[in-house]
Amino acid sequence: MKGFRHLFFHELRSLAISPSTYIAGTLFLLLVGVFFYQILAQFAQEAQDRLPMEMFFTYFWIPVWFMIPLLTMRSFAEERRLGTLDALMTTRVTPGAVVMAKFSAAYVYYCLLWALTLLFPILAAWKLGPASGGALLKTIPLYGGYTFVALSGLLFISVGILCSAITRSVLVAGMLSFSLIFVITVGATMLQNATGSWLSDYDGVVDYFRLFRHLDDFTRGIVDTRPVLFHLSAALLFLGLSTLVVEGQTS
């Protein structure tokens, strides 16, 4: 992929100066902080069946629904609207390099924001002391939860990139990205919970696409290759479609 390295650092710089990047990051950290505070308040009132960080990751989806569209909606839509994408494609770079550079830059920022959330349990554990704060730093839910965050981020970012590639409108790209990510995260669960549905005969297949089930397994230390393959293959599919869309629009 010609030009990937230069494009990647260019996209990182673009994200660093984009207002939507800071809006997404601020909203994300505020929401995650509120959820973490609520979890600590619940544990202060009464004992819970699950570890604090297991409960923390159950709120993972809500900030992601808003952060991913804000992070990716400008990637192609803005460049198509301004005409800079056509100018870029007249150089020696390939559509695949452009797609992967934008995807990689957004993914790095996504992982950086989640890495910052580690400060919440660390600071809380330090404040509470070893006796009360030890449960916040249990290694299995921490490693498993953040591994799933990184894995599912591949899928979510690739969805946002595709949504931005198929439209000139930043707003439409954001709305499409939000809608698709919402369907991906809760669609299978809603189908499985539908009583009397003809899909009841395919519960095993539907369960394979339940991202909440994948999260529960990871936070309990159960790393199954099936969700790993699902997220990787789905991300590659969306990135491949994005490459085809960009190539078709600039050919």
Side-chain angles (χ1 to χ4, degrees):
M1 291 186 293
K2 294 182 179 180
F4 169 78
R5 179 173 174 273
H6 295 290
L7 288 170
F8 171 66
F9 286 108
H10 171 73
E11 290 301 324
L12 283 180
R13 287 192 295 270
S14 298
L15 284 174
I17 63 175
S18 174
S20 63
T21 301
Y22 293 97
I23 293 173
T26 301
L27 289 176
F28 172 78
L29 292 174
L30 283 175
L31 283 172
V32 172
V34 169
F35 295 148
F36 188 77
Y37 175 80
Q38 290 178 341
I39 291 170
L40 292 184
Q42 291 178 19
F43 273 82
Q45 293 175 359
E46 59 180 337
Q48 304 291 326
D49 296 333
R50 307 179 69 180
L51 290 171
M53 293 309 293
E54 288 184 31
M55 296 183 63
F56 170 73
F57 285 111
T58 60
Y59 293 98
F60 153 75
W61 317 100
I62 300 176
V64 165
W65 287 339
F66 299 97
M67 180 182 68
I68 298 297
L70 288 171
L71 191 58
T72 60
M73 63 186 185
R74 299 173 63 90
S75 56
F76 281 104
E78 185 71 6
E79 290 207 28
R80 288 187 62 203
R81 186 180 67 83
L82 298 175
T84 55
L85 181 61
D86 292 331
L88 175 63
M89 296 310 299
T90 61
T91 64
R92 299 181 62 183
V93 299
T94 62
V98 176
V99 170
M100 287 305 300
K102 292 180 179 294
F103 166 80
S104 300
Y107 183 70
V108 167
Y109 186 78
Y110 172 87
C111 291
L112 175 62
L113 284 178
W114 273 105
L116 290 175
T117 65
L118 273 170
L119 293 174
F120 295 138
I122 291 174
L123 292 175
W126 172 74
K127 184 67 175 179
L128 295 173
S132 301
L136 292 170
L137 299 178
K138 293 289 185 180
T139 55
I140 290 179
L142 277 177
Y143 289 153
Y146 281 105
T147 298
F148 179 79
V149 162
L151 181 63
S152 61
L154 296 171
L155 172 57
F156 297 145
I157 296 293
S158 64
V159 169
I161 294 294
L162 175 61
C163 292
S164 183
I166 62 179
T167 179
R168 293 178 181 270
S169 170
V170 173
L171 180 60
V172 171
M175 293 174 63
L176 282 174
S177 178
F178 173 86
S179 301
L180 278 179
I181 292 173
F182 180 84
V183 170
I184 290 171
T185 52
V186 304
T189 301
M190 293 176 64
L191 284 175
Q192 196 170 53
N193 291 337
T195 58
S197 171
W198 60 272
L199 286 172
S200 59
D201 296 331
Y202 303 93
D203 280 345
V205 177
V206 176
D207 189 62
Y208 176 75
F209 294 97
R210 287 183 59 213
L211 269 65
F212 288 104
R213 172 66 178 275
H214 302 166
L215 173 63
D216 289 340
D217 289 343
F218 272 79
T219 54
R220 289 182 171 87
I222 304 172
V223 179
D224 193 342
T225 57
R226 290 176 298 177
V228 174
L229 291 175
F230 167 71
H231 287 89
L232 289 177
S233 59
L236 289 174
L237 172 63
F238 285 114
L239 290 175
L241 291 174
S242 300
T243 303
L244 291 176
V245 170
V246 173
E247 186 175 9
Q249 292 169 349
T250 56
S251 59

